């Protein structure tokens, strides 16, 4: 059960400010936001523990409100959902005291390919012609989508054709919404770049990305959500563990080139997908994989806090500062010295309301 929001002064707490840990200080939780006035607040001595901004998983699939609580127990206070029905989406929004979400709603798929065979995929997910792009985007926005998700396949493998993908991106940008392109193959990755997608989610297994693709991601201001946890699971399930090394090399190259790399897991319990990733705990594994790929622990933490907030337009979160949402995670240990310390969670607040935590 969640508790009501109380005005609380967290004393003797070291704050991750996006770069480093501060000296012990006081952070005030005032209702749903971070305040500045500790008068009248309940004092809570953190004993020198580390306070992180609430973590953001930039790629999840939510199949019910129980998954909001599963995310929150692991300090994931915002989930960016990548496919959902309008009906279920309404039940997941604005649930007090637990994980806050944004969603793509119904994704866009082509008439073939593996996603057309996923049980429960909406019939109106299929877009066959570029002339339908404008109507499709308008319908998604009317149904509550916060951004557009296009599931691309390699050319000829049943996904939206290149002209359709380009028209969808143009229609979304005309309405000032972001486009996330699913791309697990090199052909789909190239199509995402050509179409102008803002964010490319997943990373191909096997051969690393071509240097030209990496350079385009950098020079054209694209963002990567590689979902290494999912790609590792797929490679292991297929008995192709060596192919995961290529995905890791691609992430390392993107990071060296200055491409923003966000932490996303593809957490799901969907039948028919290649690998089911657990909600919540998987984000901590994702951070560990990002560090293995070459990010510093501070960069990995930004990949799950300030960077997804910035690139998904969530201006009210992602950092610990006055007037931002009181989405907070208190951990033992120093995650800048060892990223695995993010698992040692002692307290979580979602919009100022304390939520029970998981056992590490």
């Amino acid at each position: 059960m969640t508790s009501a929001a109380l005005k609380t002064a967290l004393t003797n707490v070291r704050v991750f400010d996006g770069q480093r840990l501060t000296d012990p200080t006081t952070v005030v939780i005032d209702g749903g936001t971070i305040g500045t006035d500790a008068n009248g607040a309940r004092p809570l001595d953190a004993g020198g523990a580390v306070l992180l901004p609430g973590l953001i998983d930039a790629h999840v699939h939510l199949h019910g409100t129980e998954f909001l609580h599963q995310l929150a127990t692991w300090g994931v206070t915002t989930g960016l959902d990548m496919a959902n029905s309008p009906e279920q989406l309404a039940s997941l929004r604005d649930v007090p005291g637990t994980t806050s979400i944004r969603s793509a709603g119904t994704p866009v798929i082509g008439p073939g390919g593996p996603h057309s065979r996923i049980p429960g995929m909406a019939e109106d997910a299929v877009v066959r012609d570029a002339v339908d792009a404008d109507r499709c985007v308008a319908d998604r926005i009317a149904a509550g989508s916060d951004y557009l998700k296009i599931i691309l396949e390699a050319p000829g493998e049943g996904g939206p054709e290149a002209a359709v993908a380009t028209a969808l991106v143009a229609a979304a940008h005309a309405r000032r919404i972001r486009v996330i392109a699913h791309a697990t193959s090199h052909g789909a990755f190239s199509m995402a770049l050509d179409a102008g997608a803002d964010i490319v989610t997943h990373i191909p297994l096997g051969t690393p990305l071509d240097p030209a693709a990496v350079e385009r991601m950098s020079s054209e201001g694209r963002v990567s959500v590689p979902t290494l946890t999912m790609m590792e699971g797929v490679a292991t399930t297929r008995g192709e563990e060596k192919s995961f090394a290529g995905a890791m090399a691609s992430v390392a190259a993107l990071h060296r080139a200055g491409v923003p790399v966000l932490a996303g897991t593809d957490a799901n319990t969907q039948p028919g997908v290649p690998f089911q990733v657990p909600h919540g705990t998987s984000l901590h594994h994702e951070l560990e994989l990002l560090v293995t790929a070459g990010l510093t622990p501070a960069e990995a933490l930004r990949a799950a806090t300030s960077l997804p907030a910035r690139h998904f337009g969530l201006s009210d979160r992602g950092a610990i500062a006055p007037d931002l949402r009181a989405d907070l995670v208190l951990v033992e240990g120093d995650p800048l010295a060892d990223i695995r310390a993010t698992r040692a969670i002692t307290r979580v607040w979602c919009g100022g309301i304390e939520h029970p935590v998981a056992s590490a």
Side-chain angles (χ1 to χ4, degrees), residues 218-233:
S218 176
S219 64
E220 296 174 11
R222 313 302 176 85
V223 176
S224 172
V225 184
T227 67
L228 287 170
T229 299
M230 168 58 89
M231 306 318 294
E232 180 186 45

Side-chain angles (χ1 to χ4, degrees), residues 19 34 39 87 96 119 124 132-133 169 182-183 198 240 243 252 255 266 276 281 303 314 355 358 360:
Q19 299 289 336
I34 298 168
N39 288 326
E87 296 77 21
D124 64 351
D132 290 332
V169 172
H182 162 111
D198 303 291
E240 301 171 358
S243 68
H255 176 60
D266 205 1
Q276 293 184 342
T281 180
L314 306 175
H355 192 286

Side-chain angles (χ1 to χ4, degrees), residues 264-283:
T265 63
D266 205 1
N268 74 91
T269 56
Q270 177 67 52
V273 302
F275 184 70
Q276 293 184 342
V277 175
H279 293 77
T281 180
S282 57
L283 187 61

Side-chain angles (χ1 to χ4, degrees), residues 183 186 189 200-210 213-214 217-218 223-232 243-264 285-296 299-300 303:
H186 289 278
F189 206 97
V200 184
T201 190
H202 305 306
I203 201 80
L205 293 168
T207 305
L209 288 173
D210 185 278
V214 173
M217 286 285 289
S218 176
V223 176
S224 172
V225 184
T227 67
L228 287 170
T229 299
M230 168 58 89
M231 306 318 294
E232 180 186 45
S243 68
F244 183 60
M248 291 288 277
S250 293
V251 172
L254 289 168
H255 176 60
R256 287 195 301 270
V259 175
V261 176
L262 313 187
H285 184 56
E286 188 76 17
L287 296 179
E288 293 155 13
L289 289 173
L290 290 174
V291 169
T292 300
L295 279 68
T296 67
E299 289 168 338

